[in-house]
Amino acid sequence: MEAFSDGVLAIIITIMVLEMKVPHDSSFAALRPLLPVFLTYILSFVYLGIYWNNHHHMLHAAQHVSGAILWANLHLLFWLSLFPFVTGWMGENHFAAMPTALYGVVLLMAAVAYWILQQAIIARHGRESLLAHAVGSDLKGKLSPVLYIIAIFAAFFVPWIAGALYVLVAALWLVPDRRIERALAARKEPVS
Amino acid sequence: MEAFSDGVLAIIITIMVLEMKVPHDSSFAALRPLLPVFLTYILSFVYLGIYWNNHHHMLHAAQHVSGAILWANLHLLFWLSLFPFVTGWMGENHFAAMPTALYGVVLLMAAVAYWILQQAIIARHGRESLLAHAVGSDLKGKLSPVLYIIAIFAAFFVPWIAGALYVLVAALWLVPDRRIERALAARKEPVS
Amino acid sequence: MEAFSDGVLAIIITIMVLEMKVPHDSSFAALRPLLPVFLTYILSFVYLGIYWNNHHHMLHAAQHVSGAILWANLHLLFWLSLFPFVTGWMGENHFAAMPTALYGVVLLMAAVAYWILQQAIIARHGRESLLAHAVGSDLKGKLSPVLYIIAIFAAFFVPWIAGALYVLVAALWLVPDRRIERALAARKEPVS
Amino acid sequence: MEAFSDGVLAIIITIMVLEMKVPHDSSFAALRPLLPVFLTYILSFVYLGIYWNNHHHMLHAAQHVSGAILWANLHLLFWLSLFPFVTGWMGENHFAAMPTALYGVVLLMAAVAYWILQQAIIARHGRESLLAHAVGSDLKGKLSPVLYIIAIFAAFFVPWIAGALYVLVAALWLVPDRRIERALAARKEPVS
């Protein structure tokens, strides 16, 4: 499951670049309309990097797989697979209201899908499991959807606020999920 | 063989999204013509998820590989590789008769190819093998092609019936192939 | 090296399908101009399947890797990566002289690259190695380039002869490379 | 991390070929405008091969992974993911000043990202580690950015000098990174 998920994420992150259409003109000016697409590409690249990173840590902590986990994982990959589409649409339309809101909807649905996957893994491993402790109160996981929802509404009034919120949430998550790393390390410690 | 198949499936599932062309307009109305493409994308995503899931379980139960199995596997991947094409064609033409029928033909051929691969693996491992027992009477495997054939004919008269049948078969399979899981678990049980 | 090569081959085999552009019309007639592209797609799919199969067996027999082997492998992947391009060109132009000849040139160069890789691996493992014995006189490996060269010239006079030769060589190779399999099995036998 | 990086590199190297658009005409003349795209494709293929090769060796020498290493790695993949875009732009515009300079900028940034990743791995493993010794004075790693910067400036006056410099740096690196291989071999030697 990890190999398949890694493959899908690697492909999503790479085909996104195909939305930056090569301009026919060779002047510097020909690059200017591509700037918003490029900025959106960077943002989506960072988000997919965060998902790959945390997803990777979470699957490592999971020792058992069930049908529910498999489909929760495919559900997450489904929403992540829409990244190239919404990235291209938001970038091409220079952060217009509708595409900016839709970008937030896909971010929100991916966050919800990640949360479902996390719950499915915890349910399979028990409330006393490593992952359950590692996740803990999951402040960042609860704050992100709230910020996405605010951003979706903001997109229709002041689009740059939506953009700023997307950048803010990415910055919050940029730190890799040390909670699981720490819990894993803690499990190994009491050797003496 | 499993890594290669997983790679091909991961790529098919991801490049399918490229058939949803990014609209140039930023209005909500610009998304409306994409709705049938999006619905078809979801259906194909679920089908490929089912194939990945069951294929994965089947290859795990296979302990030996032969030339026949390798080519039966490539034959299956061939029909699955046509998913992005028929998904795009059916979606773009809003479930018109011909594309809807062709979608069913590819589903049918993939089911036949999956059956051939299953037979090749059973032939290699013997009628008494784990997989042979796990597959058993294979009701779902026999019912699906019948429903696909009905759907292909229905597509020319009442296209929505074809669509409903495709959704029905997907729903039938959405439950992962527990037969093999159960047989694998059973093999491990009689330890005492 | 095997994982990377498998990945590249999986991607080449899958993006080839993107050359079959989804027609905007929903009639059966809209599919007719795609028929030569589809036939070429099948041919290229079979060739890439053969390469994956034999490449897989050869790398399994190789126990050591050198810089020369790595670059001989990348050289092979380079020529295989041109398959989507020549497949699309030959298919779209209904087997016209020039594209049909170029298809043969890429087949020829891939065969040469495969031979170089084989020599690099044998050189690294010694004339007495398993692989050296398994390859033996390598009749098929010597016949294929000759048939490709005949096909390239034939393409300018009677294109269908070129096409028939490409199909013939594929048929010759469709049997997986049992030589190495047999040699591997033989090595394990003298246990007693 | 290695599997994910290998996947991303395999996809980048393969989708680059999609920038060579299949011509609609079947004459030999139709290929001529594709020649610069093809030459650029070869150059980029060689560069990505070099990166895959050295990256592969470096990750093998790394025994521990940290958050900093993960993000340094994603940062490198980001710049490499821009290869298809700059390859297409430089090729389509027949080595015009601006695209040729931008190609150099992406090469430069990838080299910087590689250096950062190398430093992150050395920092994690200590100045006395295998990798730190293997890298040594890193002459090639220091010379390449200088040559890229010269090439970027040269692109605006005599573009072919920029092209020649890109080819020269690739030639310098074509030899796989034997330093690490040698250090790895040295570590194993003092058995007696």
Side-chain angles (χ1 to χ4, degrees):
Chain A
M1 189 169 85
E2 211 182 316
F4 180 76
S5 309
D6 273 21
V8 170
L9 276 166
I11 300 158
I12 294 172
I13 221 170
T14 322
I15 64 172
M16 236 168 27
V17 89
L18 294 176
E19 297 297 338
M20 280 203 286
K21 310 288 184 212
V22 174
H24 292 291
D25 192 26
S26 73
S27 67
F28 186 69
L31 284 184
R32 212 167 307 154
L34 284 174
L35 188 67
V37 188
F38 185 59
L39 292 177
T40 320
Y41 176 61
I42 295 176
L43 183 64
S44 298
F45 195 97
V46 169
Y47 264 112
L48 288 169
I50 292 166
Y51 269 106
W52 169 68
N53 219 324
N54 291 348
H55 186 265
H56 194 73
H57 279 108
M58 186 162 66
L59 286 197
H60 250 89
Q63 282 136 9
H64 311 287
V65 169
S66 63
I69 294 176
L70 280 172
W71 282 102
N73 189 47
L74 278 167
H75 178 235
L76 171 61
L77 294 179
F78 174 78
W79 290 107
L80 295 180
S81 80
L82 297 178
F83 263 72
F85 180 83
V86 291
T87 300
W89 203 37
M90 183 162 93
E92 256 194 45
N93 290 288
H94 301 200
F95 309 104
M98 197 60 213
T100 305
L102 192 73
Y103 190 86
V105 170
V106 169
L107 280 179
L108 175 65
M109 294 311 293
V112 170
Y114 190 84
W115 180 82
I116 293 174
L117 174 59
Q118 193 171 271
Q119 293 311 107
I121 295 178
I122 291 177
R124 180 76 184 73
H125 292 76
R127 287 269 140 219
E128 293 309 306
S129 68
L130 175 69
L131 187 69
H133 280 125
V135 168
S137 61
D138 196 15
L139 249 178
K140 281 200 283 185
K142 279 171 189 153
L143 186 61
S144 309
V146 175
L147 294 176
Y148 293 146
I149 290 170
I150 296 174
I152 293 167
F153 282 99
F156 293 102
F157 304 101
V158 201
W160 72 261
I161 291 183
L165 282 170
Y166 299 153
V167 171
L168 175 72
V169 177
L172 279 177
W173 282 101
L174 213 61
V175 184
D177 207 323
R178 287 189 200 274
R179 293 171 302 178
I180 299 175
E181 271 182 271
R182 221 177 292 134
L184 269 167
R187 188 174 58 169
K188 288 179 195 138
E189 269 168 18
V191 181
S192 59
Chain B
M1 190 170 83
E2 213 182 314
F4 180 75
S5 310
D6 273 21
V8 170
L9 276 167
I11 300 157
I12 295 172
I13 221 171
T14 322
I15 65 171
M16 236 168 27
V17 88
L18 294 177
E19 296 297 339
M20 279 203 286
K21 310 288 184 212
V22 174
H24 292 291
D25 192 26
S26 72
S27 68
F28 185 68
L31 285 184
R32 213 169 304 154
L34 283 175
L35 187 68
V37 188
F38 185 59
L39 292 177
T40 321
Y41 176 61
I42 295 175
L43 183 64
S44 298
F45 194 97
V46 169
Y47 265 111
L48 288 169
I50 292 166
Y51 270 106
W52 169 68
N53 219 323
N54 292 347
H55 186 265
H56 194 74
H57 279 109
M58 186 161 68
L59 286 196
H60 250 89
Q63 282 135 10
H64 312 287
V65 170
S66 64
I69 293 175
L70 281 173
W71 282 102
N73 189 47
L74 278 167
H75 178 235
L76 171 60
L77 294 179
F78 174 77
W79 290 107
L80 295 180
S81 80
L82 297 178
F83 263 72
F85 179 82
V86 290
T87 299
W89 203 35
M90 183 162 93
E92 256 195 45
N93 289 287
H94 301 201
F95 309 105
M98 197 61 215
T100 305
L102 193 74
Y103 190 86
V105 170
V106 169
L107 280 179
L108 177 64
M109 294 311 293
V112 169
Y114 189 83
W115 181 83
I116 292 174
L117 174 58
Q118 193 172 269
Q119 293 313 106
I121 294 177
I122 291 178
R124 181 77 184 71
H125 291 76
R127 286 268 140 218
E128 293 309 307
S129 67
L130 175 70
L131 187 69
H133 279 125
V135 168
S137 61
D138 197 14
L139 250 177
K140 283 200 282 186
K142 279 170 189 154
L143 187 61
S144 309
V146 176
L147 293 176
Y148 292 146
I149 291 170
I150 296 174
I152 293 167
F153 282 98
F156 292 103
F157 303 102
V158 200
W160 73 261
I161 291 183
L165 283 169
Y166 299 153
V167 171
L168 175 71
V169 177
L172 280 176
W173 283 100
L174 214 60
V175 184
D177 208 324
R178 288 189 199 272
R179 293 170 302 177
I180 299 174
E181 270 181 271
R182 220 177 293 134
L184 269 166
R187 189 174 58 172
K188 286 177 196 145
E189 271 168 16
V191 181
S192 58
Chain C
M1 189 169 83
E2 212 182 316
F4 180 75
S5 309
D6 272 21
V8 171
L9 275 166
I11 300 156
I12 295 172
I13 221 169
T14 321
I15 64 171
M16 235 169 28
V17 89
L18 294 177
E19 296 297 339
M20 280 203 285
K21 309 288 183 212
V22 173
H24 292 290
D25 193 26
S26 73
S27 67
F28 186 69
L31 284 184
R32 213 167 305 154
L34 283 175
L35 187 67
V37 188
F38 184 60
L39 291 177
T40 320
Y41 176 61
I42 295 176
L43 184 64
S44 298
F45 194 97
V46 170
Y47 265 112
L48 289 169
I50 292 166
Y51 270 106
W52 169 68
N53 218 325
N54 292 346
H55 186 264
H56 195 74
H57 280 109
M58 186 160 69
L59 286 197
H60 250 90
Q63 283 135 8
H64 312 286
V65 169
S66 63
I69 293 176
L70 280 173
W71 282 101
N73 189 47
L74 277 168
H75 178 234
L76 171 61
L77 293 179
F78 174 77
W79 289 107
L80 295 180
S81 80
L82 297 178
F83 263 72
F85 179 83
V86 291
T87 299
W89 203 37
M90 183 163 93
E92 254 195 46
N93 289 287
H94 301 200
F95 309 104
M98 198 59 214
T100 306
L102 192 74
Y103 190 87
V105 170
V106 169
L107 280 179
L108 177 63
M109 294 311 293
V112 169
Y114 190 84
W115 180 84
I116 292 173
L117 174 59
Q118 192 172 270
Q119 293 313 107
I121 295 177
I122 291 178
R124 181 75 184 71
H125 291 76
R127 286 269 138 218
E128 294 309 307
S129 68
L130 174 72
L131 186 70
H133 280 125
V135 168
S137 62
D138 196 15
L139 248 177
K140 283 200 282 186
K142 279 170 189 154
L143 187 60
S144 309
V146 176
L147 293 176
Y148 292 145
I149 292 170
I150 296 175
I152 293 166
F153 282 98
F156 293 102
F157 304 101
V158 201
W160 73 260
I161 291 183
L165 282 170
Y166 299 153
V167 172
L168 176 71
V169 177
L172 279 176
W173 282 101
L174 213 59
V175 184
D177 209 324
R178 289 188 197 274
R179 294 172 301 181
I180 298 174
E181 272 182 271
R182 221 178 291 134
L184 269 166
R187 188 174 58 169
K188 287 176 194 147
E189 271 167 16
V191 181
S192 60
Chain D
M1 189 169 85
E2 212 183 317
F4 180 75
S5 310
D6 273 21
V8 171
L9 276 166
I11 299 157
I12 295 172
I13 221 171
T14 321
I15 64 172
M16 237 169 26
V17 88
L18 294 176
E19 297 296 340
M20 281 203 286
K21 310 287 184 214
V22 174
H24 292 290
D25 193 26
S26 73
S27 67
F28 186 70
L31 285 184
R32 213 166 306 152
L34 284 174
L35 188 67
V37 188
F38 185 60
L39 291 177
T40 321
Y41 176 61
I42 295 176
L43 183 64
S44 297
F45 194 98
V46 170
Y47 265 111
L48 287 169
I50 292 165
Y51 270 107
W52 169 68
N53 219 326
N54 291 348
H55 186 265
H56 194 74
H57 279 108
M58 187 160 67
L59 286 197
H60 250 90
Q63 282 135 7
H64 312 287
V65 169
S66 63
I69 294 177
L70 280 173
W71 282 102
N73 190 46
L74 277 167
H75 178 235
L76 171 61
L77 294 179
F78 174 78
W79 290 107
L80 296 180
S81 80
L82 298 178
F83 263 72
F85 180 83
V86 290
T87 300
W89 203 37
M90 182 162 93
E92 254 194 47
N93 289 288
H94 301 201
F95 310 104
M98 198 58 215
T100 305
L102 192 73
Y103 190 87
V105 169
V106 169
L107 280 180
L108 176 64
M109 294 311 293
V112 169
Y114 190 84
W115 180 83
I116 292 173
L117 174 59
Q118 192 172 268
Q119 293 312 107
I121 295 177
I122 291 178
R124 179 76 184 72
H125 291 76
R127 286 269 138 218
E128 292 310 306
S129 68
L130 175 70
L131 187 70
H133 280 124
V135 168
S137 62
D138 196 15
L139 248 177
K140 283 200 282 185
K142 279 171 188 153
L143 186 60
S144 309
V146 176
L147 294 176
Y148 293 146
I149 291 169
I150 297 174
I152 292 166
F153 283 98
F156 292 102
F157 304 101
V158 203
W160 73 261
I161 291 183
L165 282 170
Y166 299 153
V167 172
L168 175 72
V169 177
L172 279 176
W173 282 100
L174 213 60
V175 184
D177 209 322
R178 287 187 199 276
R179 293 171 301 179
I180 298 175
E181 272 182 88
R182 221 178 291 133
L184 269 166
R187 188 174 58 170
K188 288 179 194 141
E189 271 168 16
V191 181
S192 58

